[in-house]
C-alpha cells in the first residue's frame, strides 16, 4: 500500500451557532474541488477523502474560521461585558480547541498520515522536539493533526513545522505498508501472531509493527516490509 491519500472524518458541528452548516459545507466543496465529500451527517460529521496537501489546506481553512469566531467572541465579550461564547466541542472539534485555545500564541498545524506520524515518532523522535515550542498530536483515524505552539519566538514554531513537513514528505516517498491478516479472529490467533512478530522484529529493526484485533500492519521501506512479511508467511 502506497501512502497517496486518506479519508478523514471532520466535524463541523462547532460552527452551528454561527453558520448554516450546509452553506459552510458548500463553501468547503468550492474551495477544495480536488477532495471528495461524503454526505453531511445529522451530528455534523462529514467524511472527506483526498491527498494530504488538499486535506491540510481544508483543515487550515476551518481553523482560521474557528480562530476568527474566537476573536469575534472576545470583542463581543468586551463590548457587552459578557463571557465569550465558546465553540461547542463535538468529536473532531477537539483538534480545533487545541489549536485556538490561546489566540495570542502562534500555532502551526501539520496534517500527517497516522502511520507516517507513528513511524516518525518511533524512529525519528527528535523531529518532534524543539526549543521554545510545544508539539502535540491529535489522531483521528487515518489522519493525525500535529499542533505546534510557540512558547518563545514565533520563528521556532515555523521552523519546527517545516522540519516535520519535510521529514514526512521524504518518508512518504519511501515508506510502504503491508497488512498481515490473522487466519482466525480469536484471541489465541492474535497472541500467536504477536509472539511471532516479536521474535522476528530483531531481524527487521527498521519496520514498525502496528497490532490490531484482526491484523498487523507493517510499515517500512519496500525491502524491509517485504522481508518481514515473507518471514511471517514462512
Amino acid at each position: 500500500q502506497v501512502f497517496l491519500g486518506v479519508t478523514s472524518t471532520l466535524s463541523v458541528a462547532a460552527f452551528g451557532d454561527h453558520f448554516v452548516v450546509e452553506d459552510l459545507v458548500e463553501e468547503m466543496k468550492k474551495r477544495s474541488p480536488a477532495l471528495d465529500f461524503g454526505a453531511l451527517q445529522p451530528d455534523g460529521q462529514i467524511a472527506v477523502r483526498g491527498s494530504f496537501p488538499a486535506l491540510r489546506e481544508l483543515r487550515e481553512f476551518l481553523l482560521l474560521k474557528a480562530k476568527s469566531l474566537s476573536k469575534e467572541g472576545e470583542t463581543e465579550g468586551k463590548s457587552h461585558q459578557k463571557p465569550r461564547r465558546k465553540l461547542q466541542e463535538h468529536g473532531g472539534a477537539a483538534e480545533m480547541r487545541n489549536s485556538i485555545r490561546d489566540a495570542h500564541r502562534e500555532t502551526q498545524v501539520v496534517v500527517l498520515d497516522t502511520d507516517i506520524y507513528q513511524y516518525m515518532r518511533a524512529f525519528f523522535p527528535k523531529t518532534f522536539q524543539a526549543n521554545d515550542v510545544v508539539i502535540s498530536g491529535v489522531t483521528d483515524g487515518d489522519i493525525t493533526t500535529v499542533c505546534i505552539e510557540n512558547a518563545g519566538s514565533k520563528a521556532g514554531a515555523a521552523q519546527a513545522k517545516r522540519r516535520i513537513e519535510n521529514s514526512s514528505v521524504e518518508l512518504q516517498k519511501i515508506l510502504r505498508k503491508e497488512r498481515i491478516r490473522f487466519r482466525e479472529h480469536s484471541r489465541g490467533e492474535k497472541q500467536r501472531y504477536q509472539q511471532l512478530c516479536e521474535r522476528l522484529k530483531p531481524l527487521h529493526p527498521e519496520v514498525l509493527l502496528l497490532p490490531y484485533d484482526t491484523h498487523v500492519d507493517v510499515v517500512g521501506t519496500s525491502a524491509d516490509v517485504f522481508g518481514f512479511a515473507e518471514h511471517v508467511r514462512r
Side-chain angles (χ1 to χ4, degrees):
Q1 177 179 347
V2 183
F3 295 96
L4 296 178
V6 294
T7 298
S8 177
T9 300
L10 301 178
S11 174
V12 293
F15 296 95
D17 288 344
H18 306 275
F19 300 105
V20 177
V21 175
E22 290 77 7
D23 292 344
L24 175 61
V25 171
E26 289 303 314
E27 184 180 357
M28 291 161 56
K29 291 180 179 179
K30 291 178 181 179
R31 291 184 62 92
S32 306
L35 295 174
D36 293 325
F37 290 81
L40 178 64
Q41 302 301 312
D43 60 359
Q45 293 193 354
I46 184 169
V48 185
R49 179 170 180 78
S51 66
F52 298 120
L55 278 169
R56 179 170 61 244
E57 290 179 4
L58 177 62
R59 289 206 170 193
E60 289 179 350
F61 161 70
L62 292 174
L63 287 170
L64 287 174
K65 269 199 175 298
K67 181 175 286 189
S68 69
L69 293 176
S70 177
K71 289 181 179 178
E72 287 177 7
E74 266 188 357
T75 303
E76 181 182 346
K78 290 178 181 178
S79 301
H80 302 285
Q81 298 300 313
K82 294 179 180 179
R84 182 180 55 168
R85 181 169 56 188
K86 295 182 179 179
L87 293 176
Q88 298 176 18
E89 295 176 8
H90 294 270
E95 298 168 19
M96 295 181 187
R97 176 200 64 203
N98 291 338
S99 298
I100 64 172
R101 62 190 173 204
D102 188 347
H104 300 290
R105 296 179 67 180
E106 175 106 5
T107 301
Q108 303 283 346
V109 176
V110 182
V111 180
L112 302 176
D113 174 272
T114 295
D115 293 326
I116 291 179
Y117 169 75
Q118 292 180 334
Y119 191 91
M120 292 170 65
R121 295 288 295 187
F123 293 100
F124 305 99
K126 290 185 178 180
T127 306
F128 299 97
Q129 299 172 7
N131 295 327
D132 297 328
V133 297
V134 178
I135 301 176
S136 58
V138 179
T139 296
D140 180 14
D142 291 336
I143 285 286
T144 294
T145 302
V146 179
C147 297
I148 309 153
E149 293 183 286
N150 67 289
S153 65
K154 292 183 178 180
Q159 291 172 357
K161 177 183 179 181
R162 284 195 297 270
R163 184 175 64 253
I164 294 171
E165 286 180 331
N166 291 340
S167 180
S168 68
V169 168
E170 292 305 313
L171 288 174
Q172 187 174 332
K173 295 177 183 178
I174 63 173
L175 290 182
R176 298 292 183 268
K177 178 172 72 173
E178 178 152 351
R179 180 160 293 176
I180 302 175
R181 298 187 181 278
F182 304 154
R183 293 191 181 94
E184 302 171 6
H185 294 173
S186 64
R187 180 177 299 180
E189 185 75 352
K190 178 181 177 181
Q191 290 178 345
R192 190 171 73 86
Y193 269 90
Q194 286 179 338
Q195 291 171 358
L196 176 61
C197 289
E198 288 172 1
R199 290 201 305 269
L200 294 177
K201 183 67 169 68
L203 301 176
H204 305 272
E206 299 302 318
V207 300
L208 174 66
L209 302 179
L210 303 173
Y212 296 93
D213 289 337
T214 59
H215 62 273
V216 175
D217 284 340
V218 185
V219 181
T221 65
S222 295
D224 290 332
V225 168
F226 177 79
F228 184 87
E230 283 298 299
H231 266 159
V232 172
R233 293 187 183 100
R234 290 203 298 267

